[in-house]
Amino acid sequence: MRFTIQRDKLINGVQDVMKAISSKTVVPILTGMKMEVRKHGVTLTGSDSDISIESYIPAEDEGKVNVENIEEGTIVLQAKYFPEIVRKLPESQVDIDVDEQFNVKITSGKSEFNLNGQNADEYPLLPQVETENSFEMPIDLLKNMIKQTVFAVSTMETRPILTGVNIKLENQKLVFTATDSHRLAKREIPIPDANMTIEQVVVPGKSLNELSKILNDSEETIEISVTNNQVLFRTKHLNFLSRLLDGNYPETSRLIPDHSKTTIQIKTTPLLRSIERASLLAKEERNNVVKFTNNDDALIEISSNSPEVGNVEEQVTADKVDGENLKISFSSKYMIDALKAIEYDEVIIEFTGAMRPFIIRPIEDDSILQLILPVRTY
Amino acid sequence: MRFTIQRDKLINGVQDVMKAISSKTVVPILTGMKMEVRKHGVTLTGSDSDISIESYIPAEDEGKVNVENIEEGTIVLQAKYFPEIVRKLPESQVDIDVDEQFNVKITSGKSEFNLNGQNADEYPLLPQVETENSFEMPIDLLKNMIKQTVFAVSTMETRPILTGVNIKLENQKLVFTATDSHRLAKREIPIPDANMTIEQVVVPGKSLNELSKILNDSEETIEISVTNNQVLFRTKHLNFLSRLLDGNYPETSRLIPDHSKTTIQIKTTPLLRSIERASLLAKEERNNVVKFTNNDDALIEISSNSPEVGNVEEQVTADKVDGENLKISFSSKYMIDALKAIEYDEVIIEFTGAMRPFIIRPIEDDSILQLILPVRTY
């Protein structure tokens, strides 16, 4: 096997698949990176068995030659050394030459590396996902949906199903839901061209975070296919495969109150900054509680108290307040996460009492919903 | 005590003194930041007993009012919370008001923090350094001298004296020397106005690193004063005090060879890149050894071998080679550090045999010297 490749193309491909490679895997060969060279191009693969990433570098793309002097073959490279070597090679072209003892010679300019490779036959085959049953959506919209929900997944392994984002596709409507049982984030969008149904799958939050990092913001589309235990995200040169989480995702719709006793319309940023300041005194406590009080006027009082350190008190002016006066306490972290995810200048907060979950939504958009359970302090 | 201060001035001052404050100190009050308010301005102090930093914010500076509504007093603030609070306050002005029970009220716009302070009488007095016996030098030159030497100090506490930089001032010549006994870095500059002598003091490398971080690159001067066990660096608004290291610094001048058998003149960057690549395969080994071989022509061969991973071999072209052929092995890390410190496009390397220390200097500048002890491999 041998070929000559443009170094920048190789760097990009290597960087993408590295996201799936862990040095801590129990399957030793998975610490390596698989490289498959065919006449039409080079495919790199990395996997930690939960996530697998394939990056494809076509030999020719839009009239530009990326790979040449191709003799086909496969090899597994040491992922601990290969990426850094490629990044530091002196010239813009790289020759890679592999002999039958899996010795890998990497040459660029007057620099020559000889690395011990491994037989690619020992590398596990990736699960095949049927791509006939799939739908497409714009990449930037997918990244946005991930960003607005994934922070709310649970980080505790006590209920593994909650460490994933619940994905549903029904009646041309795609819904992402995440909850750690103390708060919930939900985002939906219409997919007019989708003529299929996904009853529900739960994708690990970690997988979605990695996917989001790899995808460039772009209006190109991504194809999503689901089988029993795998989901495949596919763009032009990238396959991103993740296992799904087993188990029943809790029914979340009944958590969401359908009426409210107090409604507050308020600018997002001033409220966010105020909550951020109120959270400063409670750095170490896990439940970093702030109090939120509204009286008869539009002045909202945000306060927090940390006996050994001191206390903080602020006022933020709401744009509109309807309904009963309210005193409620909640985790400042949850509120900060929710307000940051909303991405609109103004929000509506709907309360149904000091001990009931409350909802935060953007003022002009029903497709995003953030829900937070209060903390009992009064 | 109370005053109103420009938030950006307070942020800068706090940031500087925070560099000296450690949460791990054995003297509890030193986890705090002392604030002294006088009619002429506000002085902030932080200290971990090795390093102490005072930052002064004048009430008025170049016609601009920084501090007003001054009632004099002193307080010690909780350094864990105060900096972040100041940074996040909503308005450009901050009011600070301290009552007799050391309650600190910080107000900015509609935000009010109440922090528990401590009595400043409990804060240790900083050692007084006589500033009559002092010399001045440009700040950017001092930063440069630190950068070119401090990396070579020892990180091992077995010979504490080597964890510092040796500073000497004699006959209007200032010399910085650092060595960990495997390599040495030396830089000297003339100080024409200095009419004093510093026989030798050893300043902890850590102190010089912190000092370097605080000083802005500028052509303004810094005043340096030395007593038996302290050194004071003083700029317009900053006092930086460090303890000195006790003990005898080894005589280093006899380490430096006075003749050479092989002299190689070579471009710095290509050599540096080549050594960096050769070091990639030896990541985990502490002594990350590369071989350097010159034959009859001007081609230098750089190579490294790591049995389990592979090997690397490169050629770099020297501009001029004089003297005997040579095979020598050395730590790639030491060579990388030395070449980076030199800051010139071309260097001369002077060897006196495979087992003798060798010298690297810039081609047009005698004031910088880097010395490395080779490693026995042949």
Side-chain angles (χ1 to χ4, degrees), chain A residues 78 80-81 84 88 110-112 114 116 277 280 283-284 307-315, chain B residues 78 80-81 84 88 110-112 114 116 277 280 283-284 308-315:
Chain A
Q78 300 174 66
K80 190 168 165 196
Y81 299 97
E84 196 60 13
K88 295 215 165 161
K110 284 182 182 157
S111 176
E112 181 187 310
N114 289 284
N116 309 328
R277 280 189 292 270
L280 290 178
K283 269 186 207 172
E284 276 169 8
E308 293 194 359
V309 186
N311 63 62
V312 48
E313 218 176 276
E314 313 222 345
Q315 273 129 25
Chain B
Q78 301 174 66
K80 192 171 166 194
Y81 299 96
E84 196 62 13
K88 295 214 164 161
K110 283 183 182 156
S111 176
E112 181 187 310
N114 288 285
N116 308 327
R277 281 190 292 270
L280 290 178
K283 268 187 209 173
E284 277 169 7
E308 293 193 1
V309 187
N311 64 63
V312 48
E313 218 176 277
E314 313 222 343
Q315 273 129 26

Side-chain angles (χ1 to χ4, degrees), chain B residues 7 53 66 83 86 90 92 94 131 190 218 269 285 337 342 361:
Chain B
R7 192 170 63 102
I53 303 175
N66 297 322
V86 173
S92 66
V94 180
T131 56
S218 110
T269 309
E285 290 167 41
D337 287 346
I342 279 181
R361 316 177 185 258

